Amino acid sequence: MDKQLFYKEIGQSLFNGRLSPAQRDGMEVKLEAFDRHGITDKRWRAYMLATSYHETARTMQPIEEFGKGKGRPYGQKRKCDGTPYTHPDKLYYGRGDVQLTWYENYHRMGKLMGIPLLTCPELALDPDISASIMVEGMTRGNSNRGDFTGVSLEDFFNDRVDDPVKARKIVNGLDQAQRIAGFYQKFLAALQIIMVVVLLMMVGCKPHQVVAERIVTRTDSTALRELTDSLLWQERETSFLQTDVNRAREEIIHLGSVTRQHRIQYDTTLPVDSTTGRPPVASEVITTMQSRLEKMIEDEETGHGERSGVRESIARERRHRTLTVEKQAHEEKVRLEKTPTLLRKPSLLWATAVVCIALLVLTVRFFWRKKV
């Protein structure tokens, strides 16, 4: 799997071209977990990545629920059936890539994975453990069922069914189902581009030629058939690929200058937003290397201003020269109008002189003969 191409594509489509090292590392851990658990269906991979993208507020890192369950039933020392508990002295609010909640879920997942998750719920924040919890809970893993809600990816993505909207029932009913389905489509497209690269390399296209090529955006099975047909046009399109490579290199330079830390703080004293399912944002802090990015932007804006000034100066000089030429032409025209016709046309003046001399000679000869 060409992960570099995957990160490039998904960075453009879902992260506004600014994929941070932390986000990249988070996806790397999950991709390794998919390989470790034998997850080969790209639809399953894409939907789990989309779920993590939504539940972790785009960080792609396991996080604690904002507010730590305050105002929620699981934010108290009670089980799903309402029975209170005193041990362990822990609260089982949302943690990890899927925001695992409730006493029973921590207990069940800990037993399935062989870790003391009930007594140490903080383990769900470990990236590797969190990724394994997501895979186990969303597939028919060791328990042969979907451990979160009873349904799993096998129920919504198989040979007969492809339903990324209803797949939200695996984690949390239909909450934000359409939105997560949109994230899924973009993750799936990024994963499928890797298949495009393999096919292009099989027909002789060099790796650097397809770095930034975005060929397949649809997700149905006909995309591959259409891709096979499009390979016949490879030579005609090769000339455009170098331009994409150059653009990709420029973008990589900019990506290398983005922040390495993105922290969002939420105001838990205010009501939860019904759309996002989270409290309003109190502050958003972007640190590390931000000054370098701003400097790059500032330098670019300064350079653009200087270039604009040079262009305006050249335009003014051209206008001045045009006006000077027009003025001289006008003065020449006026001078010619004031000059007698004969003086303005030297050839006519010489012709007149020759005629006069000829007439004079003829006149003299006429009178001379008459006198003789």
Side-chain angles (χ1 to χ4, degrees):
M1 174 178 177
D2 189 342
K3 294 180 181 178
Q4 300 303 320
L5 180 58
F6 167 74
Y7 294 137
K8 173 72 172 63
E9 176 64 21
I10 201 63
Q12 291 294 332
S13 62
L14 270 181
F15 295 90
N16 300 320
R18 299 180 180 182
L19 186 62
S20 71
Q23 291 167 328
R24 185 189 183 102
D25 292 343
M27 285 188 282
E28 181 74 20
V29 170
K30 280 171 262 298
L31 291 172
E32 291 175 354
F34 298 156
D35 293 336
R36 189 167 61 250
H37 288 274
I39 305 300
T40 57
D41 193 317
K42 286 182 171 53
R43 295 173 299 174
W44 295 15
R45 290 184 172 217
Y47 196 81
M48 284 190 278
L49 288 170
T51 297
S52 175
Y53 179 86
H54 171 73
E55 298 291 351
T56 65
R58 297 181 56 187
T59 65
M60 303 308 292
Q61 293 282 349
I63 62 173
E64 287 187 326
E65 178 183 349
F66 302 117
K68 299 184 177 181
K70 183 178 180 180
R72 306 269 184 178
Y74 52 74
Q76 307 172 25
K77 290 185 178 180
R78 292 185 180 276
K79 299 181 181 180
C80 286
D81 60 3
T83 304
Y85 66 86
T86 57
H87 181 78
D89 186 19
K90 302 286 186 178
L91 292 177
Y92 300 100
Y93 50 80
R95 295 182 180 89
D97 284 289
V98 291
Q99 295 295 281
L100 186 67
T101 56
W102 291 108
Y103 177 101
E104 289 85 350
N105 288 333
Y106 277 83
H107 182 255
R108 182 187 309 111
M109 199 60 65
K111 290 182 63 177
L112 288 170
M113 298 181 61
I115 58 176
L117 200 57
L118 191 65
T119 55
C120 300
E122 297 81 8
L123 289 173
L125 296 174
D126 178 272
D128 291 313
I129 293 176
S130 176
S132 294
I133 289 174
M134 178 171 64
V135 174
E136 174 63 34
M138 296 183 70
T139 64
R140 296 173 187 171
N142 296 331
S143 65
N144 199 32
R145 66 185 293 273
D147 297 304
F148 297 144
T149 61
V151 292
S152 64
L153 289 167
E154 289 88 339
D155 297 313
F156 301 100
F157 300 100
N158 52 54
D159 294 338
R160 302 178 306 279
V161 180
D162 190 351
D163 194 342
V165 176
K166 291 184 179 179
R168 180 58 176 163
K169 293 180 179 180
I170 299 170
V171 177
N172 190 11
L174 290 177
D175 176 61
Q176 301 292 315
Q178 291 287 351
R179 187 180 185 192
I180 297 172
F183 301 152
Y184 157 80
Q185 297 291 353
K186 293 182 179 180
F187 274 109
L188 183 61
L191 289 169
Q192 287 183 329
I193 281 184
I194 299 170
M195 298 176 63
V196 176
V197 174
V198 173
L199 290 173
L200 289 175
M201 292 178 66
M202 288 175 63
V203 297
C205 202
K206 296 180 180 180
H208 76 275
Q209 291 178 308
V210 294
V211 155
E213 184 69 5
R214 300 179 63 180
I215 297 177
V216 176
T217 55
R218 287 177 296 176
T219 59
D220 54 47
S221 59
T222 61
L224 292 179
R225 291 197 297 271
E226 293 180 0
L227 171 62
T228 303
D229 294 336
S230 70
L231 292 177
L232 298 175
W233 301 343
Q234 177 190 348
E235 292 186 2
R236 184 177 64 84
E237 297 181 353
T238 300
S239 60
F240 298 101
L241 295 178
Q242 188 60 45
T243 301
D244 291 337
V245 172
N246 293 335
R247 178 175 58 82
R249 288 171 179 166
E250 293 176 355
E251 291 170 353
I252 289 171
I253 293 172
H254 288 285
L255 288 175
S257 301
V258 299
T259 61
R260 294 184 180 274
Q261 183 177 359
H262 189 180
R263 184 176 61 192
I264 304 175
Q265 294 182 346
Y266 292 81
D267 190 347
T268 57
T269 62
L270 298 176
V272 175
D273 190 315
S274 60
T275 302
T276 63
R278 306 188 188 283
V281 175
S283 64
E284 184 172 357
V285 180
I286 300 176
T287 56
T288 310
M289 294 183 69
Q290 179 65 23
S291 59
R292 180 181 170 188
L293 177 60
E294 291 174 350
K295 183 64 167 58
M296 290 172 62
I297 295 173
E298 181 182 348
D299 290 345
E300 177 61 24
E301 291 176 349
T302 302
H304 177 72
E306 291 175 351
R307 290 191 295 272
S308 298
V310 171
R311 286 194 295 268
E312 290 178 1
S313 177
I314 293 173
R316 285 196 300 270
E317 184 177 351
R318 287 178 178 174
R319 288 195 298 269
H320 176 71
R321 290 180 178 177
T322 300
L323 291 174
T324 301
V325 171
E326 291 177 351
K327 182 179 178 181
Q328 292 176 348
H330 178 70
E331 291 176 349
E332 179 66 16
K333 182 179 179 181
V334 172
R335 186 182 64 81
L336 291 175
E337 289 176 351
K338 293 180 179 180
T339 304
T341 303
L342 291 178
L343 295 180
R344 280 187 280 137
K345 297 182 179 181
S347 59
L348 183 60
L349 179 62
W350 281 105
T352 303
V354 170
V355 171
C356 291
I357 293 172
L359 291 174
L360 180 61
V361 171
L362 291 174
T363 303
V364 171
R365 291 182 64 184
F366 174 77
F367 283 105
W368 176 263
R369 288 180 181 177
K370 187 177 181 180
K371 183 177 181 181
V372 174

